[in-house]
Amino acid sequence: MRTSPPTEWGAWMRGSEEEAAARPLTPRAIHRSAVESGGLAFAVPPVLFVLIPIVFAWIEAPGIGALLATLVLPVYGLLFVYATGIGLYPLRVRLAWFALCTALILLLVPLLGANVLYMVMFQAMTHVLLLPWRWAVPTMLLMSVTVVVLAMVFQVYIAAGLAVMGTVMAWGIGYGIRQQVLQEQLEAAQHRNAVLAVAAERERIGRDLHDLVGHSLTSLTISAQLARRLLDTDPEAARAQLAHIETTVRQALADVRATASGMQTVRAATEIASARTVLSTAGIRAEVPTALPPLHDDLSELFGYVIREGITNIVRHSRASRATIAVDPDAVTVQDDGIGIPAGTGRTGLRGLEARVVLAGGRLEVDSSGTGTRLTARMGAASDAGDTGEGTA
C-alpha cells in the first residue's frame, strides 16, 4: 500500500510553504490574509472584552497607569484581530507576532496588576491562531489552568471564568478556521482533480482513437486499393474486399462509440487516485491499494461511488489521521480512525448510496463509533459477471 504523510494543521491554513513565504508582510496584505482565512469574523467580537481591564484600571487606580493601559490595550486588540491573517504566514512570522502579543501582555502587568489576568482569553486565542496545533493546545491549557489558580489566589474570580471561556472560544475559533480552510482546500483539490481527469480522459481518447482508427484506416486503404485493382480482373475477390471494408468500418464505428461512452463514467481506480490526492490535501494518511482485482465495469462504477462517498465523509466529518481503502472482487471498504459520524449529521449521501447498492443486488454496511467509521459494500456473486474493466489504480 502507498501512504501519504500526515499534514500539519498549520499547513492547511497556510497552503504550501511557497504560498506562505510569498505573502508580503504589509498592512494591506495582512488584512487580505485575515479575510481569506475566514477567521476575521470570529476574532472581531471578542475584542470588546478589552474594555474589562480598562474599566477596572480606571476604577482601581486612575492615573498615568490607567492611561497607558488604555493606550496599549487597543494595540493588543489590533494585533489579536489580525493574528487570523498572520496565521497564513510562515512559522517565523507567526512566532514573531505571538512574541509581540506576549510582550504587550507582560508590559501590562505593572500597569494592571492582577487585572491583567482578564487578558487570558485573548492570549489563549493567539495560541491557537499562531502556534502549530501540536504546540497550541498544551500551552493554551497550561496557561489557562495557571490563570485560574492565580485568579483564585488574587480573588479575581471573573478572570477565572474568562480563562475557561477563553479556552472554549479559542478552541472554537481554531476549529472554525480549520473547517473553513479545509472545505476550501477540498473544493480546490476536487476542482484540480476534475481538470486533471478531463485532461487524462482526453489523452486516453486520443490514444484510443489513434490506435483504433489509425489501424482501421490503414486496413481500409489497403483493402480499397486491392479492390480497385481486382475490380476488372477478379470481381469476386473485389467484392470480398468491399465486404471486408464494410466490416472494418462498422467495427471502427463501434470502437469509437465505445471509447466516447466512457468519458463521464465513474471508476474505482480513478476514485482511488482522486482520494489519494484529496486525503493528502486534508492531512490524512492514505492507505490505498496499488492494484485492483478484475472488476466488471458496472461493479467498478458502483465501487467508485462507494469510495467517493466514504472519502467525502472522512474529509468533512471524521477528524481522522488515517484512511484505508480496500477492494476485493465482491466488496469494497473505506475505513478511518476518526470520531465516527457525529450525532445529528444528515445521512442523505449514505441513504442514496445504500439505494444504489441495493439496486445492484448488494448491501451497504456502516459501522461508526468513537474510534472510527467503516463503510463496506458487499456484492456477493455480482462481481463474477461480465468482462474485466481495470487493473491498476
Side-chain angles (χ1 to χ4, degrees), residues 20 40 64 83 93 107 114 119 121 153 169 177 189 244 296 305-306 313:
L40 191 60
I64 187 64
V93 178
L107 178 63
M119 301 299 296
M121 60 182 296
V153 171
M169 292 182 66
I177 294 175
H244 174 70
H296 181 260
Y305 283 114
V306 175
N313 288 338

Side-chain angles (χ1 to χ4, degrees), residues 240-329:
Q241 291 300 319
L242 291 175
H244 174 70
I245 290 173
E246 181 182 3
T247 301
T248 302
V249 169
R250 291 182 183 276
Q251 183 60 47
L253 181 59
D255 289 340
V256 170
R257 287 173 175 170
T259 300
S261 66
M263 289 182 64
Q264 296 180 342
T265 301
V266 174
R267 290 290 183 267
T270 55
E271 289 302 319
I272 287 175
S274 176
R276 187 184 294 119
T277 301
V278 171
L279 290 172
S280 176
T281 301
I284 301 173
R285 189 169 69 253
E287 297 180 359
V288 302
T290 56
L292 299 182
L295 299 174
H296 181 260
D297 285 345
D298 292 341
L299 188 62
S300 178
E301 180 178 4
L302 180 63
F303 282 6
Y305 283 114
V306 175
I307 294 168
R308 177 184 293 181
E309 178 66 18
I311 295 302
T312 299
N313 288 338
I314 288 173
V315 173
R316 288 183 176 176
H317 309 301
S318 73
R319 305 186 200 172
S321 61
R322 186 182 72 253
T324 304
I325 300 174
V327 180
D328 296 321

